[in-house]
């Protein structure tokens, strides 16, 4: 309750004797009502909501609690409870500050209980602090490098293999686009920029080239984009697609008519460029 001052005007008659009554007299009486601590603190809301970036530094203000006590007696004290209470602190004016680095990927929501006490009465309110994701992670490939084998007999349209990168950020911050680092090799291989799948688009020839070394970049679509790269080896496997060739193509041999049976006449040679 609040201190009030009441003024009361008292009227009465004072008689000297029955024959000579005195005129009425009046006086002012002030009554002071003393406040008692008989009301609990009152929160402006039963639930306080806040959203904060995961990149805020410890000590940053993340929320504000409005609480009052209609009593003048007693002093108001605020505190936080709950499993995540150690990650935040509340000041006397209701400002809530972080005490640790927040991480969206570790925990996206922190539920706290705000306790207000005036040393006699206690009130509570809930606080829901949601962590907003920021683009603070680069895509990560599932392997330090990739190696695929493709036969030179494979026809255009053949699916060679797939690379895969992941990004723990959410939304567009975690959405990945693949690309080749240079135009070299793109006449033979098509990279799906969404799924990371390689497709053959031109016939290969083992005898011309046995290995293609490509560099693939995985980039997220965040405002401040982040990227990673990986090496991809395309190993061309030989196929039996060449006939043996004699060198020379024609041999001329002279032999005496009296040459004995079994005499060596000529050495012929053929080569095959297949492995």
């Amino acid at each position: 309750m609040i201190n009030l001052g009441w003024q009361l005007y008292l009227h009465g008659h004072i008689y000297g004797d029955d024959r000579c009554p005195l005129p009425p007299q009046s006086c002012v009486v002030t009554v002071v009502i003393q406040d008692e601590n008989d009301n609990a603190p009152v929160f402006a809301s039963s639930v306080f909501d806040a959203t904060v970036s995961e990149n805020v530094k410890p000590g940053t203000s993340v929320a504000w609690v409005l609480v009052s006590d209609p009593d003048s007696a007693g002093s108001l004290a605020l505190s936080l409870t709950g499993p995540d209470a150690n990650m935040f602190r509340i000041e006397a004016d209701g400002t809530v500050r972080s005490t640790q680095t927040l991480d969206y990927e570790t925990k996206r929501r922190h539920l706290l209980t705000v306790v207000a006490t005036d040393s006699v009465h206690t009130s509570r309110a809930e606080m829901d602090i949601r962590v907003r994701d920021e683009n603070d992670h680069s895509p990560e490939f599932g392997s330090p490098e990739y190696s695929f084998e493709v036969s030179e007999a494979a026809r255009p349209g053949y699916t060679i293999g797939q690379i895969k990168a992941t990004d723990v950020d959410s939304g567009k911050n975690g959405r990945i686009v693949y690309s080749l680092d240079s135009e070299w090799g793109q006449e033979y291989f098509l990279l799906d920029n969404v799924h990371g799948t390689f497709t053959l688009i031109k016939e290969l020839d083992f005898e011309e080239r046995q290995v293609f070394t490509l560099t693939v970049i995985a980039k997220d679509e965040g405002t401040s984009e982040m990227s990673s790269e990986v090496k991809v080896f395309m190993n061309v496997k030989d196929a039996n697609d060449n006939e043996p060739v004699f060198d020379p193509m024609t041999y001329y041999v002279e032999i005496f008519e009296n040459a004995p049976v079994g005499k060596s006449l000529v050495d012929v040679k053929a080569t095959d460029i297949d492995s």
Side-chain angles (χ1 to χ4, degrees):
M1 298 179 66
I2 301 174
N3 290 332
L4 298 176
W6 287 358
Q7 290 185 335
L8 304 180
Y9 295 86
L10 305 180
H11 298 273
H13 294 281
I14 302 176
Y15 297 91
D17 54 42
D18 293 339
R19 293 173 300 169
C20 300
L22 297 177
Q25 302 293 313
S26 66
C27 66
V28 177
V29 178
T30 301
V31 179
V32 178
I33 301 176
Q34 297 294 329
D35 188 22
E36 294 292 337
N37 191 359
D38 56 351
N39 290 280
V42 178
F43 285 98
S45 175
S46 60
V47 178
F48 293 89
D49 295 307
T51 300
V52 57
S53 168
E54 65 174 333
N55 288 342
V56 298
K57 296 180 179 180
T60 302
S61 173
V62 299
W64 185 63
V65 173
L66 180 59
V67 60
S68 61
D69 192 332
D71 295 322
S72 61
S75 59
L76 194 61
L78 300 175
S79 61
L80 298 174
T81 63
D84 299 335
N86 64 322
M87 300 182 67
F88 305 90
R89 60 182 171 86
I90 188 167
E91 299 177 348
D93 64 353
T95 302
V96 179
R97 299 182 183 276
S98 62
T99 60
Q100 301 179 23
T101 301
L102 305 178
D103 188 1
Y104 175 88
E105 288 72 36
T106 301
K107 193 165 187 177
R108 304 180 181 185
R109 190 177 180 187
H110 300 276
L111 299 177
L112 307 172
T113 298
V114 185
V115 180
T117 180
D118 60 7
S119 72
V120 175
H121 305 283
T122 300
S123 298
R124 290 175 173 80
E126 302 303 317
M127 173 163 285
D128 187 354
I129 300 177
R130 298 176 184 268
V131 181
R132 184 175 63 249
D133 186 33
E134 300 292 346
N135 192 17
D136 56 351
H137 291 86
S138 300
E140 293 186 3
F141 285 96
S143 176
E145 64 181 34
Y146 291 86
S147 181
F148 300 106
E149 293 185 353
V150 53
S151 171
E152 65 174 334
R155 296 291 177 257
Y158 173 74
T159 299
I160 300 172
Q162 183 182 30
I163 59 173
K164 182 70 174 178
T166 56
D167 192 324
V168 295
D169 291 321
S170 65
K172 66 179 183 179
N173 294 333
R175 203 156 47 233
I176 296 174
V177 175
Y178 302 97
S179 63
L180 289 174
D181 184 42
S182 67
E183 295 184 358
W184 188 86
Q186 293 190 35
E187 61 179 308
Y188 291 97
F189 311 103
L190 175 65
L191 174 62
D192 187 309
N193 64 355
V194 175
H195 301 100
T197 303
F198 278 100
T199 302
L200 184 67
I201 57 175
K202 182 179 179 180
E203 290 185 357
L204 301 170
D205 189 350
F206 175 84
E207 286 70 39
E208 291 183 3
R209 192 176 191 92
Q210 293 79 46
V211 179
F212 291 83
T213 303
L214 310 175
T215 300
V216 176
I217 297 176
K219 183 185 303 182
D220 63 37
E221 295 183 339
T223 302
S224 301
E225 62 185 28
M226 303 186 74
S227 63
S228 300
E229 63 179 45
V230 71
K231 293 293 184 183
V232 178
F233 300 96
M234 296 292 185
N235 301 296
V236 183
K237 305 302 292 181
D238 191 23
N240 191 15
D241 57 349
N242 292 280
E243 296 177 348
V245 176
F246 282 100
D247 183 24
M249 295 296 294
T250 304
Y251 292 83
Y252 296 93
V253 178
E254 291 183 352
I255 182 173
F256 291 104
E257 61 177 340
N258 61 349
V261 175
K263 179 178 175 59
S264 174
L265 302 178
V266 64
D267 289 331
V268 296
K269 184 178 181 182
T271 58
D272 191 326
I273 59 176
D274 290 325
S275 63

